[in-house]
């Protein structure tokens, strides 16, 4: 098995890289935070902490799991000249599909491939290796990298040309954010009318309003005040903004997405960079007059 590069050992990247190490891959890792790199290398024998781009020269594939397209572009463009011809970037962050296409074109000029393979399922599914992965790119590149993806995910779906994975991921997260805000509003309004909050969630879960927030977030992270799902509000706001921009780029107004994007942006600015996205529940509650 050849070496795999892994860049971005955050909430998601760390458990994903852990599974790849367990599956027998030798990893070359990098993160802007040297503490997380040292901790990972110590816990995963044989792993190389990259001190520069040259350390990735033996990698036929490099996974990126980074916050946004600005960072992905900078990291990948700096790294690319050091990679062997034919190597593939597996871009697993949630990023802007238009910029992903431009990055893939840049890499093609250097004899390198890129597939976008963003994930859904959060930290728990990353730990379990059961992420949903949606893949865009050349079908042959996808087939070649499928065994690597299968270590980290269960529902792995090829969705179209490069960028299609990132587009679908942003659209998914828009739907998820809209449902979260709708759920938060319903709980606060029901409670103001005198209905027990837990009861509201349980009844919606037995009814047609059931969604991922009512099933997997309301009791687990919101009603109990834990707000520790591991997915930041800033990242969620980024995703909804990408979806809303995508609508504009194909001349669809996406009226609701514009509204949800405005609400998540505003909440993210008010609550700060460290806020968990489930804190939107408390934020929506504070909007009552
Ligand atoms: P995170 O902030 O926990 O991790 C990002 C990591 O990237 C950090 O360790 C940071 O130090 C590192 N980093 C930042 N700039 C860097 C650079 N220039 N070079 C090297 N490393 C750098 O974020 P996360 O929650 O792990 O999310 C990562 C990506 O996955 C994001 O695009 C996010 O939208 C997406 N995502 C997150 C979740 C979730 O539940 N957290 C779920 C699905 C998708």
């Amino acid at each position: 098995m050849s070496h795999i590069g892994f860049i971005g050992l955050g909430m998601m990247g760390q458990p994903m890289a852990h599974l790849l190490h367990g599956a027998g891959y030798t990893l070359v890792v990098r993160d802007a935070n040297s503490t997380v790199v040292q901790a990972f290398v110590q816990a995963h024998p044989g792993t190389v902490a990259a001190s520069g781009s040259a350390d990735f020269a033996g990698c036929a594939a490099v996974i990126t799991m980074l916050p946004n397209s600005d960072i992905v572009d900078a990291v990948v463009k700096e790294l690319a000249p050091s990679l062997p011809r034919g190597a593939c970037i597996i871009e697993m962050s949630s990023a802007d599909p238009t910029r992903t296409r431009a990055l893939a074109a840049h890499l093609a000029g250097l004899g390198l491939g890129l597939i976008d393979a963003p994930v859904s399922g959060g930290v728990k599914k990353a730990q379990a290796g059961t992420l949903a992965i949606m893949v865009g790119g050349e079908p042959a590149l996808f087939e070649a990298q499928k065994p690597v993806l299968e270590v980290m995910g269960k529902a792995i779906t090829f969705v179209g040309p490069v960028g299609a994975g990132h587009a679908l991921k942003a659209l998914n997260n828009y739907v998820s954010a809209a449902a979260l805000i709708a759920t938060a509003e319903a709980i606060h309004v029901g409670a103001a009318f005198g209905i027990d909050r837990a009861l509201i969630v349980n009844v919606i879960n037995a009814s047609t309003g059931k969604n991922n927030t009512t099933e997997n977030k309301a009791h687990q992270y919101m009603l109990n005040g834990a707000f520790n799902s591991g997915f930041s509000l800033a990242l969620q706001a980024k995703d909804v903004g990408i979806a809303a921009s995508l609508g504009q780029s194909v001349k669809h107004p996406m009226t609701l997405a514009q509204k949800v994007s405005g609400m998540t942006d505003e909440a993210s600015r008010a609550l700060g960079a460290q806020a968990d996205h489930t804190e939107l529940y408390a934020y929506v509650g504070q909007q009552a007059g």
Side-chain angles (χ1 to χ4, degrees):
M1 255 182 230
S2 69
H3 289 24
I4 292 187
F6 203 110
I7 307 180
L9 295 171
M11 294 298 294
M12 296 293 286
Q14 197 278 337
M16 291 160 67
H18 171 74
L19 292 179
L20 289 168
H21 180 267
Y25 289 100
T26 301
L27 300 178
V28 180
V29 298
R30 174 187 277 179
D31 193 286
N33 181 341
S34 59
T35 309
V36 300
V37 172
Q38 289 316 319
F40 189 88
V41 168
Q42 268 171 21
H44 299 86
T47 303
V48 176
S51 53
S53 295
D55 289 325
F56 292 91
C59 295
V62 177
I63 294 171
T64 42
M65 194 56 178
L66 294 162
N68 56 47
S69 286
D70 281 347
I71 295 173
V72 170
D73 273 5
V75 166
V76 172
K77 283 181 178 169
E78 193 252 338
L79 180 70
S82 304
L83 295 177
R85 265 185 93 80
C88 182
I89 302 291
I90 308 177
E91 214 304 83
M92 302 192 76
S93 327
S94 304
D96 182 330
T98 311
R99 295 186 59 180
T100 304
R101 283 200 173 155
L103 181 60
H106 171 83
L107 294 174
L110 300 171
L112 302 169
L114 180 146
I115 57 173
D116 47 312
V119 307
S120 185
V123 174
K124 282 186 181 165
K125 290 196 173 183
Q127 288 165 341
T130 56
L131 290 163
I133 306 181
M134 46 211 97
V135 185
E138 291 292 329
L141 278 181
F142 166 58
E143 287 304 328
Q145 301 305 333
K146 209 171 172 185
V148 175
L149 299 176
E150 281 170 346
V151 175
M152 297 174 281
K154 277 280 171 287
I156 300 169
T157 312
F158 182 77
V159 297
V162 72
H166 281 156
L168 189 46
K169 167 64 183 171
L171 293 169
N172 171 75
N173 279 25
Y174 152 56
V175 173
S176 177
L180 188 151
I181 291 172
T183 301
E185 288 178 345
I187 296 171
H188 288 301
V189 169
F193 201 70
I195 309 170
D196 179 73
R197 289 171 190 264
L199 199 64
I200 294 169
V201 175
N202 295 343
V203 170
I204 293 178
N205 274 335
S207 309
T208 52
K210 179 170 73 171
N211 64 77
N212 186 44
T213 293
T214 57
E215 287 189 299
N216 298 314
K217 298 180 188 175
H219 286 300
Q220 296 84 344
Y221 306 116
M222 289 157 58
L223 296 192
N224 61 5
F227 303 129
N228 62 349
S229 77
F231 180 44
S232 76
L233 178 55
L235 289 177
Q236 185 191 48
K238 169 202 64 173
D239 293 337
V240 182
I242 291 171
S245 302
L246 190 63
Q248 285 176 332
S249 75
V250 298
K251 305 209 181 326
H252 195 294
M254 285 187 96
T255 313
L256 182 58
Q258 301 294 342
K259 183 78 184 161
V260 174
S261 179
M263 288 174 81
T264 50
D265 268 348
E266 187 185 291
S268 179
R269 273 197 302 275
L271 299 178
Q274 300 310 315
D276 193 85
H277 80 293
T278 53
E279 289 183 53
L280 260 180
Y281 167 70
Y283 185 80
V284 167
Q286 289 159 10
Q287 307 305 302

